[in-house]
Amino acid sequence: MKALVIGATGSTGKFLVDELLKDNDYTSVVTFVRKPSGKEHSKLTEHIVNFDDIESFKDQINGGVLFSCLGTTLKAAGSKEKQWKIDFDIPAAFAVAAKQNEVKSFVLVSSYGASATSSVFYSKMKGKLEDYIAELNFGQYIIFRPGPLVREDTDRLDEKISVKLFNFLNSIGILTKLKPIETELLAKKLVKAPKILPIGKKIIEPKEIFEF
């Protein structure tokens, strides 16, 4: 199986690429990045691309399964408009190209609480993306909705506080369905999902991520 990855240099994506390269069920791994990652492997093909011009390389978006780990924070993006472009517009455009090129499976890293009708900007954006891709009717569409992410060497103070808070609440039996998950473990689950789940649409909520 040939795997395609966007968001390959992010906190989850970098582990995802490593796991795909180790997995013998994936014969090749193709990543689309803004700048070289420094990774080298016989199975890896890295395309340095301009995400503002997906049309120019859309023929390269072909394979067995497309993994989308692309995303940013409002603070890093600088505005809601710029965050929408990264978190919605780019994955949506890749999904359209993948469908046109007959990619059979799409695996999306979304977020807990994602809903197109949410009053929260981030949750609404993620929900609208889920729905947009669903309308493309991939043979297999897997949506991961993780809770708080434990990122390696994160410098985000709010994230550190959030993870500590959820770990404490979990320890006393509160909000256990929102157990924080290490991005490395999430990556392992992403790699496994298209191999063991049936065709059709599947939404995997936080607690379920730990159960397969």
Side-chain angles (χ1 to χ4, degrees):
M1 184 160 46
K2 178 181 178 182
L4 312 169
V5 182
I6 57 173
T9 58
S11 55
T12 299
K14 64 183 181 182
F15 287 119
L16 171 62
V17 172
D18 289 342
E19 292 298 323
L20 290 167
L21 293 174
K22 292 188 293 185
D23 194 312
N24 291 331
D25 290 326
Y26 294 91
T27 55
S28 61
V29 181
V30 179
T31 62
F32 300 87
V33 294
R34 297 182 189 278
K35 56 185 179 180
S37 68
K39 289 184 185 288
E40 294 185 1
H41 194 282
S42 59
K43 285 168 56 174
L44 178 64
T45 300
E46 187 173 84
H47 293 299
I48 313 301
V49 301
N50 176 6
F51 286 97
D52 293 326
D53 187 20
I54 293 175
E55 187 70 19
S56 67
F57 60 87
K58 69 176 184 179
D59 290 345
Q60 302 295 329
I61 307 172
N62 66 82
V65 54
L66 172 58
F67 294 89
S68 175
C69 301
L70 196 62
T72 188
T73 63
L74 181 58
K75 182 179 179 180
S79 70
K80 288 182 177 179
E81 291 75 17
K82 291 180 180 178
Q83 186 180 23
W84 187 278
K85 180 176 180 59
I86 295 170
D87 279 58
F88 183 95
D89 291 345
I90 294 175
F94 265 87
V96 169
K99 181 62 178 180
Q100 291 174 345
N101 293 338
E102 300 183 349
V103 174
K104 302 301 182 185
S105 299
F106 195 103
V107 181
L108 174 68
V109 177
S110 185
S111 176
Y112 174 74
S115 170
T117 61
S118 176
S119 60
V120 178
F121 172 76
Y122 185 79
S123 298
K124 183 174 184 177
M125 176 177 60
K126 290 298 187 182
K128 283 186 172 292
L129 178 61
E130 289 183 5
D131 293 350
Y132 182 89
I133 296 172
E135 291 178 0
L136 296 175
N137 292 313
F138 282 89
Q140 183 187 52
Y141 179 32
I142 304 168
I143 301 168
F144 278 78
R145 291 179 178 171
L149 297 178
V150 182
R151 305 174 200 265
E152 185 181 50
D153 300 323
T154 183
D155 59 356
R156 301 175 185 174
L157 180 60
D158 57 340
E159 193 170 85
K160 291 179 179 179
I161 294 172
S162 174
V163 168
K164 288 182 179 180
L165 175 60
F166 275 99
N167 280 333
F168 169 72
L169 292 174
N170 291 170
S171 69
I172 58 176
I174 300 174
L175 294 179
T176 54
K177 66 180 181 180
L178 285 180
K179 180 181 177 181
I181 183 170
E182 293 82 3
T183 52
E184 185 173 5
L185 177 58
L186 176 58
K188 293 178 186 292
K189 302 295 186 175
L190 293 171
V191 169
K192 185 178 180 181
K195 299 193 295 180
I196 67 169
L197 295 178
I199 60 173
K201 180 182 176 181
K202 171 66 175 177
I203 297 175
I204 305 176
E205 298 289 357
K207 187 176 181 181
E208 294 178 273
I209 296 175
F210 292 93
E211 296 174 351
F212 80 93

